[in-house]
Amino acid sequence: GAGVSQTPSNKVTEKGKYVELRCDPISGHTALYWYRQSLGQGPEFLIYFQGTGAADDSGLPNDRFFAVRPEGSVSTLKIQRTERGDSAVYLCASSLIGTSGRDEQFFGPGTRLTVL
Amino acid sequence: AQSVTQLDSQVPVFEEAPVELRCNYSSSVSVYLFWYVQYPNQGLQLLLKYLSGSTLVKGINGFEAEFNKSQTSFHLRKPSVHISDTAEYFCAVIYTGGFKTIFGAGTRLFVKA
């Protein structure tokens, strides 16, 4: 079956612009996670969805970052007024249930965001 | 603050030699522990996980890890590595009752012929 997919695979934008990054989780997975991975670092947690609601958004760095999952499937990470420091690979993962943290997370290939 | 430390950023090793990748986490409270692998140009893939029970956990591709609560460690081992094991390895922790996965900075394993 299909894994987690993310679009676009690469995004180049200019400082100050708005970007949207899309994640399609594995069908039937109720939990969805966003991470940011900077060069030479491990993934950094941003936000976790259980169904349509954000159960934990404590990792979002500031109010320029926002994520939605309106129908409990596809999620969009939105970044306003992009800054050069936002350049990173943005990873999405999904898991079947996710209510306990025990479930395996399946990762997508990531979107590489470059802010010029 | 909760954190995961991977003590080696790079580990070069010859093919068929044993390897240990070290991982320590910051708190002794109840945790779930994971090792993920990222092969070149591929996404993160779960290698193994510790949830409870036996402290020795076996994963895919011949890897195993041992949970040591007193030392807050979860080191990854393989008795004989292959060229195909060349990849980036990430240790991660979830504190029970939470959802946030905290990753280490990664260890690049480079297996030489």
Side-chain angles (χ1 to χ4, degrees):
Chain A
V4 177
S5 63
Q6 294 186 244
T7 53
S9 56
N10 280 282
K11 175 71 177 178
V12 180
T13 190
E14 293 179 343
K15 181 176 178 294
K17 299 290 188 182
Y18 167 83
V19 297
E20 290 189 352
L21 311 180
R22 177 187 168 105
C23 172
D24 280 89
I26 293 172
S27 177
H29 280 196
T30 60
L32 186 144
Y33 309 78
W34 282 100
Y35 298 88
R36 176 170 69 175
Q37 186 173 16
S38 301
L39 195 62
Q41 299 297 317
E44 174 193 6
F45 171 86
L46 296 178
I47 187 170
Y48 157 71
F49 285 91
Q50 181 57 245
T52 60
D56 185 346
D57 64 357
S58 62
L60 295 177
N62 52 59
D63 61 6
R64 296 187 297 106
F65 288 75
F66 189 70
V68 296
R69 196 185 183 200
E71 298 179 356
S73 178
V74 171
S75 177
T76 305
L77 178 66
K78 308 179 181 193
I79 310 174
Q80 298 177 319
R81 305 183 304 279
T82 52
E83 300 177 356
R84 293 192 179 89
D86 298 335
S87 296
V89 176
Y90 289 81
L91 299 172
C92 176
S94 70
S95 66
L96 188 57
I97 300 174
T99 52
S100 66
R102 299 166 63 99
D103 303 302
E104 177 177 357
Q105 294 179 40
F106 294 84
F107 283 81
T111 293
R112 182 175 298 278
L113 175 66
T114 303
V115 182
L116 300 177
Chain B
Q2 299 165 343
S3 65
V4 174
T5 302
Q6 292 185 240
L7 296 163
D8 305 294
S9 59
Q10 295 187 69
V11 174
V13 62
F14 285 103
E15 193 174 20
E16 297 183 6
V19 70
E20 179 180 79
L21 306 184
R22 297 179 291 169
C23 172
N24 287 84
Y25 59 97
S26 61
S27 172
S28 60
V29 299
S30 186
V31 295
Y32 302 134
L33 294 157
F34 307 81
W35 276 98
Y36 285 86
V37 59
Q38 188 170 32
Y39 297 104
N41 301 314
Q42 294 187 29
L44 282 161
Q45 176 183 354
L46 182 67
L47 203 53
L48 50 77
K49 62 181 176 182
Y50 169 80
L51 302 179
S52 65
S54 174
T55 57
L56 184 63
V57 179
K58 294 190 183 298
I60 61 172
N61 300 337
F63 283 92
E64 64 181 30
E66 185 155 19
F67 169 55
N68 187 318
K69 186 175 181 178
S70 62
Q71 297 185 6
T72 61
S73 68
F74 190 54
H75 300 332
L76 181 70
R77 302 186 184 100
K78 186 169 182 177
S80 176
V81 294
H82 302 290
I83 297 287
S84 60
D85 292 323
T86 293
E88 186 97 25
Y89 291 80
F90 293 95
C91 180
V93 63
I94 296 177
Y95 292 88
T96 54
F99 310 106
K100 181 186 296 189
T101 307
I102 300 170
F103 284 85
T107 297
R108 180 167 297 278
L109 176 64
F110 178 60
V111 182
K112 301 177 286 186

